[in-house]
């Protein structure tokens, strides 16, 4: 078990130590500047102790519950659910109210996935694997009915703790945590790196958002801008090629129009007002 799974006790001890250090040192520094500054320094030192104790405690609690939730979620044996849960986990709770909001979202997500999985997973299993797939899907659905809501509660607890921690440290000096640009795209099956292309990264982010988890593992190839005579000039359509899929998107209105597995496509031909692909 790693330190993170245990709640990062070293970090907790460090933050509490910092608080006690400020409680002693700040008043001593203020004594030489008179009674008023001494009083302010005592308040600042006590505030630092409270802040660091709260932040350190809830940071540890967040990591413990988050690690426990990760382990429990694996019991669902549902890759689609695990991928979608990661998207929820990546939303940061920057303050207490956002922590409560994200926590509620996680609870709803866990319950919704658990209930719908009882019906959806057996059907999907039967379609893809016949009777054995149906039995596997039924097992996934019944297991998920218990595991997914429990995971949602654990994730909610972790998000609330994150919100409390970030509220306590809200006014601390810290590096900018917001992304200045989207992450770099890796291309083809070998995932090679090219020069940073802002348009490719924007298109990939849109593909992942509109696909709602369906294209998470796709290996990106290229994007083509499509302009037909019947498409308004201000409307932009794009054709996204990955190793696994061919995806047609209305970029201006953020709509996924259609997609087809790339392995089924034998040819593509462009006409005046449409794209025609041939398949088996």
């Amino acid at each position: 078990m790693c330190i993170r799974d245990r709640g990062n006790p070293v970090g907790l001890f460090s933050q509490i130590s910092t608080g006690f250090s400020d409680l002693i040192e700040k008043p001593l520094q203020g004594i030489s500047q008179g009674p008023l500054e001494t009083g302010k320094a005592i308040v600042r030192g006590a505030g630092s102790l409270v802040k660091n104790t709260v932040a350190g405690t809830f940071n540890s609690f967040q990591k413990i519950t988050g690690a426990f939730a990760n382990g429990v979620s694996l019991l669902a044996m549902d890759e689609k659910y695990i991928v979608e849960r990661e998207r929820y986990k990546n939303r940061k709770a920057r303050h207490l109210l956002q922590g409560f909001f994200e926590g509620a979202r996680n609870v709803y997500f866990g319950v919704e996935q658990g209930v719908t999985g009882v019906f959806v997973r057996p059907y999907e299993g039967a379609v893809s694997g016949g009777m054995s797939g149906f039995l596997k899907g039924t097992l996934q659905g019944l297991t998920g009915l218990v595991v997914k809501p429990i995971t949602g509660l654990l994730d909610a607890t972790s998000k609330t703790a994150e919100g409390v921690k970030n509220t306590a440290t809200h006014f601390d000096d810290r590096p900018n945590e917001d992304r200045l640009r989207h992450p770099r795209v890796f291309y083809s099956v070998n995932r090679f790196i090219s020069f940073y292309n802002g348009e490719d990264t924007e298109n990939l982010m849109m593909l992942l958002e509109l696909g709602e988890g369906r294209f998470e593992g796709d290996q990106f190839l290229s994007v083509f801008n499509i302009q037909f005579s019947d498409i308004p000039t201000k409307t932009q359509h794009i054709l996204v090629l990955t190793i696994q899929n061919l995806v047609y998107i209305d970029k201006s209105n953020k709509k996924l129009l259609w997609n087809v597995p790339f392995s089924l496509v034998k040819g593509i031909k462009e006409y005046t007002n449409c794209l025609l692909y041939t398949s088996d």
Side-chain angles (χ1 to χ4, degrees):
M1 181 179 289
C2 69
I3 288 178
R4 178 177 178 178
D5 297 339
R6 296 173 183 169
N8 191 11
V10 175
L12 174 60
F13 177 77
S14 175
Q15 285 193 277
I16 294 178
S17 297
T18 298
F20 275 108
S21 176
D22 288 344
L23 181 63
I24 296 171
E25 291 180 2
K26 288 184 182 297
L28 291 176
Q29 293 170 358
I31 289 176
S32 62
Q33 301 177 26
L36 180 60
E37 288 301 321
T38 301
K40 291 181 179 179
I42 291 173
V43 172
R44 287 196 295 269
S48 175
L49 176 60
V50 172
K51 179 196 70 175
N52 281 287
T53 301
V54 170
T57 301
F58 279 91
N59 181 55
S60 294
F61 191 57
Q62 174 202 349
K63 293 184 183 302
I64 291 172
T65 52
F68 192 37
N70 288 339
V72 173
S73 69
L74 297 177
L75 298 176
M77 301 176 292
D78 188 335
E79 293 184 5
K80 289 183 178 179
Y81 160 73
I82 291 172
V83 168
E84 186 66 17
R85 175 178 168 266
E86 285 296 320
R87 296 182 63 200
Y88 277 80
K89 278 180 55 185
N90 289 335
R91 295 188 175 101
K92 300 297 182 183
R94 299 185 182 278
H95 49 74
L96 181 58
L97 290 179
Q98 194 171 6
F100 283 134
F101 177 73
E102 292 298 337
R105 285 171 64 103
N106 278 279
V107 171
Y108 172 79
F109 174 70
V111 173
E112 184 262 340
Q113 287 287 308
V115 173
T116 58
V118 173
F119 305 97
V120 174
R121 294 299 176 259
Y123 171 75
E124 291 179 343
V127 170
S128 61
M131 180 55 68
S132 62
F134 173 78
L135 294 175
K136 180 181 177 182
T138 301
L139 177 61
Q140 286 181 333
L142 293 176
T143 303
L145 185 60
V146 177
V147 169
K148 293 173 183 178
I150 292 176
T151 303
L153 286 172
L154 291 170
D155 283 335
T157 304
S158 179
K159 283 297 173 188
T160 303
E162 182 183 29
V164 174
K165 176 197 71 175
N166 288 336
T167 298
T169 60
H170 180 73
F171 295 104
D172 287 358
D173 292 331
R174 68 186 72 188
N176 184 14
E177 296 177 348
D178 296 324
R179 278 192 177 274
L180 298 180
R181 67 183 190 183
H182 292 303
R184 182 183 297 274
V185 175
F186 296 92
Y187 296 86
S188 188
V189 68
N190 295 320
R191 299 180 62 79
F192 66 85
I193 299 175
S194 182
F195 291 107
Y196 184 82
N197 187 313
E199 187 172 357
D200 276 356
T201 59
E202 180 184 345
N203 291 330
L204 179 58
M205 290 300 102
M206 182 173 292
L207 173 69
L208 295 177
E209 177 185 349
L210 297 179
E212 298 181 340
R214 282 179 288 170
F215 310 117
E216 289 284 347
D218 279 25
Q219 291 143 334
F220 187 85
L221 288 176
S222 186
V223 174
F224 296 94
N225 291 310
I226 306 297
Q227 186 63 56
F228 297 128
S229 57
D230 60 344
I231 298 178
T233 305
K234 295 183 179 180
T235 301
Q236 183 181 9
H237 286 193
I238 58 173
L239 183 67
V240 183
L241 272 66
T242 73
I243 294 290
Q244 293 80 9
N245 289 284
L246 185 68
V247 188
Y248 192 57
I249 294 173
D250 179 347
K251 188 174 179 179
S252 302
N253 297 305
K254 292 188 175 182
K255 290 182 180 179
L256 195 157
L257 301 179
W258 53 260
N259 71 280
V260 62
F262 198 71
S263 60
L264 300 180
V265 177
K266 301 303 178 185
I268 303 174
K269 190 170 183 179
E270 181 177 356
Y271 289 89
T272 304
N273 59 354
C274 73
L275 281 175
L276 178 66
Y277 69 84
T278 56
S279 61
D280 290 335

